[in-house]
Amino acid sequence: EPEVTQTPSHQVTQMGQEVILRCVPISNHLYFYWYRQILGQKVEFLVSFYNNEISEKSEIFDDQFSVERPDGSNFTLKIRSTKLEDSAMYFCASTPPGTAGSNEQFFGPGTRLTVL
Amino acid sequence: DAKTTQPPSMDCAEGRAANLPCNHSTISGNEYVYWYRQIHSQGPQYIIHGLKNNETNEMASLIITEDRKSSTLILPHATLRDTAVYYCIVRDRGSTLGRLYFGRGTQLTVWP
């Protein structure tokens, strides 16, 4: 069964450093998402991406964040200058063609980001 | 923001049915009810969704009340591997954006 994959599984970085989290969505999917979950907190939406541009972003997704689909398979989340409060699990998700609101989202296993 | 209310925790004996309730009294006619679950620190996993009819798949059944203000997710024969946080989410079926709003969910613990 196809699945969303994410690398690395765990990323440790120093405050102020740039990190890139990578995701490979399911191959025929068209809508892509990033969510995060701070330890013990709710899963929070960051951004959705469709047709090579951001569809929607939350207030969390400020100028320090960016997303890119550099080729036909990868979907990346970049944090330009990490802060301690960016420490969280980051989940990538994708949705098949059709109306995104009525389709299920397939989530990856997550990348645990630890900012020291 | 989450438009649903769920009990924070429930438990269930292995092999028995787990019935997880959800209130969504402000649901509109265009909104589906979705259920996802999250097994400890893993990515959320889709379970089932419905609009107004009851639905069943290989994982669970979804019972939606006639007024659509509440629903119940039923795991017919719970196993230890069903221990997880279960999220009930309402979502506009016409949305082209499709973001999910997760609440706190219900921590279901299945005991042997």
Side-chain angles (χ1 to χ4, degrees), chain B residues 23-90:
Chain B
N23 286 320
H24 31 80
S25 58
T26 61
I27 194 169
S28 71
N30 281 332
E31 289 178 319
Y32 281 101
V33 179
Y34 275 76
W35 284 83
Y36 282 75
R37 73 180 182 183
Q38 187 177 25
I39 297 170
H40 180 64
S41 293
Q42 297 180 22
Q45 177 190 22
Y46 166 83
I47 301 172
I48 199 168
H49 73 281
L51 186 63
K52 50 186 168 183
N53 297 322
N54 297 337
E55 301 288 345
T56 295
N57 63 21
E58 65 279 2
M59 288 182 70
S61 294
L62 174 60
I63 308 298
I64 302 174
T65 58
E66 195 168 337
D67 63 8
R68 302 187 67 239
K69 292 185 177 183
S70 65
S71 60
T72 300
L73 178 75
I74 301 172
L75 307 179
H77 305 286
T79 70
L80 299 180
R81 287 177 296 178
D82 291 323
T83 293
V85 179
Y86 286 77
Y87 300 100
C88 170
I89 299 170
V90 297

Side-chain angles (χ1 to χ4, degrees), chain A residues 9-23:
Chain A
S9 58
H10 191 187
Q11 174 88 48
V12 180
T13 190
Q14 296 289 328
M15 189 170 57
Q17 295 296 304
E18 174 184 288
V19 295
I20 297 176
L21 309 183
R22 291 183 167 79
C23 169

